[in-house]
Amino acid sequence: MASTSNENQVACFLNSANEAAKTILETAKEDGFIHVFSHLDADGVAAAGIVGKALFRLDARFRIRITQWIEQKIVGEILSDKPQLVIFTDLGSGYVDLLSQKLADFKIVILDHHQIIGKESDNFVHVNPHLYGIDGATDVSGAGVAYFVAHSLDKVNVDLAPIAVVGALGDMQDKYDQRMLGGLNGRILEDARNSGLLTVEKDLIFFGRETRPIHKTLASTTSPFIPGISGEEDKSLAFLASLGIKPREGDKWRALRDLSEEEKKRLCSALADHLLSKGLRYEVSNLIGHVYILNREEPWTPLRDAREFAVLLNATGRMDKSGLGIAVCMGDRGQGLEGAKKVLEDYRRTLNKYLGWVMEKPERVKELENIYVVSGEGFIDDKIIGAISSILSGSLPNPEKPLIAFSNVEGEDIAKISARASDTVTSRGLNMGEIMQVAAERFLGKGGGHNVAAGAQVPIEDMGNFIEIVNELVGRQLKGERIGS
């Protein structure tokens, strides 16, 4: 069950957003240079786009950079460039100690929703729901935090509320009943709906609902991943034929939005039966839920459905084309959007290739006492391992066990680790962010995140021992033991 926040907590959080807005406004008025760093996933790209648009409207001087994590190179870049203000969006809270040690003299604004590690310098303005007892894993995303600051800067930025909704969906924060957004995200939804920018409906939830022929929608779905249909267009067509659902009307392919209510019910029932026959009971609940439609976006484009929009942003970030995603968030519906669509197609093919590789051999998903482990073995790109772990975690035989997936970082002797846990097991006290932090620090690495989704970087030579430690820590935490210092 997702958490709700009381009005006092919300008021304190909004006050901190106001403080951040004041700091940004002061720097912009003094014509100071602002350097923005954001995370490479959909939420991070959305957050960067929101901050970028707000700064553009202030006529501020700024630069945006997308990164997987904060490392020495980034610290060196800041020391060299000497910006008057550094803004971290959708990252920063897990690196407070590093930033305090290396950049204590810089003016820094952190707009994040991840669990906080360390104590910041007095020069830092830190906006994070966890500081006020609000759950950053379910109630507001990095893009949402950025939105509250942008809205505090200028009410005209209410038009960025749909981008914050996209970020929250990209971070899979739709944890309330039937894939609904709640908590502080609910306030953002309210802003978007009251401004006529967004409509919420209940429907089948699939990528390509607005844009793709039905058989391609089914074949390209990875959440839920449907064995025997995902990645298989011919089998998808056969599946529809067996249900008497015509994929074409005349010479035009039909999209999911074109199906009648009766056809949707038939399709949903058959998919549920298929998933159950494969032992994927948990995935059945992912078939139907709340759908978020962005009213000002053109029908038949991947921006009309907020979840499709999130996948497009994720694709640009993971495929090293984040500039396109940021441009789209800031309003580019020309070359930026066309470029992002091409990247999206490449991303879908890449995901299906990696998922097919994992599924090809059962031993590639190893089950230990308390966790599942997937090794990318140098095959899966380290920037995409997070997306792979998110997809695979929904189709595990035992949803009570978290998944740890990792891959080598190209050209470096470190591994990028992505951890995912179900709401069921986190409700029993499991916190993957804490486990990743504690385990990584034993090998002089870095870890953190949320209770349900976290990550780490450790030397590749230590991965065997790291996995053993994580397996042990999960077991200990589920027994109620404290694992931190």
Side-chain angles (χ1 to χ4, degrees), residues 303 312 316 321-329 331-344:
L303 306 187
L312 179 132
T316 63
K321 300 288 183 185
S322 54
L324 293 170
I326 293 168
V328 170
C329 290
D332 186 338
R333 296 297 178 267
Q335 286 186 334
L337 178 56
E338 287 310 306
K341 283 181 186 174
K342 288 174 185 162
V343 172
L344 178 56

Side-chain angles (χ1 to χ4, degrees), residues 188 256 365 436:
I188 300 169
L256 191 59
V365 181
M436 287 290 103

